[in-house]
Amino acid sequence: MVSLSPHLIIFFFILFATASYPTTAGSWSLLQPTIGISAMHMQLLPTDRVIIFDRTDFGASNISLPDGKCREDQNDYVLKKDCSAHSVEYDVTSNSIRPLMVLTDVWCSSGALTPDGSLVQTGGFNDGDHVIRVFNNSCVNCDWEEIESGLVNRRWYASNHILPDGRQIVIGGRRQYNYEFYPKAKSSDKAYSLPFLLQTNDLNVENNLYPFVFLNTDGNLFIFANNRAILFDYARNKVLRTFPEIPGGEPRNYPSTGSAVLLPMRVIQGNVAVVEVLVCGGAPKGAFVNAQNRKFDGALNSCGRIRISDPDPKWVMEIMPMGRVMSDMILLPNGDVLIVNGGSNGTAGWEYGRNPVLNPLIYRPYNPASNRFDVENPSTIPRMYHSTAVLLRDGRVLVGGSNPHVYYNFTNVLFPTELSLEAFSPSYLNPSSSGIRPKIISPATQTKIQYGKQIVVRFTVQNHVDLNLISVTLIAPSFNTHSFSMNQRLLVLDGANAMKSAEKMTYEVITTTPSSGNVAPAGYYMLFVVHQEIPSEGIWVVIH
């Protein structure tokens, strides 16, 4: 008798229980059947390693700490002495896992990279809700360092963003209608009130946690919570503009979890003229309470797109091929948006999601409005509540997580706790495109580039090159959790000056870097050359 794996059993169940869609492209590969933890949070580092962590308050994970280490925490609700890891480092190049040690609870937290590429993680739950943790980017065998009471207020379900001066702003969190900064200029620095977060809080439901935060090119912050947004001057603690409510007024933030991206920004002579935000999916009003009563409403199939740089911005609504809740939106090197993970019914929260959506979508922002969505080939693994996704330098998207249970639960549940890692390869990675795929020769990876300067990018292409279809893109590596990629940013550089080099199959493009930290906060970016929508493998550059 042939036995089927649990993943295949689940896949066949879902295949016959959910709708099917005509698909176009994209492929999936299983990288690790288990990494020992469920990937609730992810951050790619400039070392091509991904820091992954879950939470510490559910008991032992499925991977041990090295060298007989144990975490002793008298505040832990389940294990006072825990010899298992709740964070790992995934090495993309070697496809290997190294267990890491967090001392306090990192559940539902936030984070961002510093200009030197180190990861700063903020908050969590229980004894971890005021803690700042730092993972140093500069050494091979680093581990987490913890700063007790690094935060003024408890931060649980907050959002972070990197600011033009290199600091991070930490916004909101459960019952926190305020924001603060890290690092602090002095120990007496306080938190600052943000009434908008109270105004967008639905009583007993919230619908405004993990607000969508984006740095506008004027240095102010676009903050979206629940169903509306503001442009906020954090330095003066002043709302500069209130944007229209998204049409229909349906909630888009946790637990009615949709997702959002700052769409690719075109840099022309160092500056950006058009800034747009796209918000997709979520759950309708009342869905969270209904899910608590075992009624699982259909997810929203609408997206709202708004040009926040316009004098009088208006939402333009678009319709996805299916409703989605708890999906992730990932910017791809060619400017497309990948929408992946999530379900088609219910909301975020323990046991509140139903009907996994296995098919990713590709959204092409520059196509005609009627032709922007493509349905991609499906995964076989449901990725529901607490799933994640991040872009890798080679153009693949790393996908992991999914644990809609209070504890790890692998049997007799609709969606078992998922410990695997897989990769989605968009169609631009098809072998059939290898002949037109660029390969960057220079600059070398880890090169430092200055604001407002011209740089020359040299690359090779095997087949004929259309010099009019060359672009250079920069992507900031994002911190992903709860369907939002914090600090995600894609810049399309001015690449009009592409030319043939003297060497065979070699070309170069002269482009201008962003003008300031308002356009591109200082730090690490992945740089890609794109030819006919096919990106090269990226290199790391440091903007300063």
Side-chain angles (χ1 to χ4, degrees), residues 65 73 90-91 127 196 223 227 284 291 302 369 392 413 465 468 471:
L65 288 165
D73 183 358
Y90 173 67
D91 187 320
D127 59 352
F196 173 71
I223 305 175
N227 55 16
S302 61
L392 300 177
V413 289
V465 172
N468 296 314
S471 61

Side-chain angles (χ1 to χ4, degrees), residues 202 205-208 226-227 246-259 280-292 295-302 320 322-326 343-348 352-354:
D202 290 345
V205 177
E206 297 169 311
N207 278 335
N208 68 343
N226 197 321
N227 55 16
I246 195 167
E250 301 288 10
R252 306 286 177 156
N253 294 86
Y254 183 93
S256 297
T257 303
S259 191
C280 287
K285 294 176 182 177
F288 182 69
V289 173
N290 285 342
Q292 290 176 317
K295 179 179 181 293
F296 304 102
D297 294 342
L300 301 175
N301 66 353
S302 61
M320 296 186 287
M322 73 286 283
R324 304 186 81 116
V325 62
M326 300 179 289
S344 60
N345 291 81
T347 69
Y352 293 157
R354 292 293 185 274

Side-chain angles (χ1 to χ4, degrees), residues 3-39:
S3 62
L4 296 178
S5 71
H7 284 155
L8 283 176
I9 294 171
I10 294 168
F11 174 66
F12 287 128
F13 169 78
I14 294 166
L15 183 65
F16 292 107
T18 60
S20 59
Y21 305 93
T23 62
T24 57
S27 62
W28 291 87
S29 58
L30 182 66
L31 301 176
Q32 291 281 350
T34 176
I35 61 171
I37 67 170
S38 191

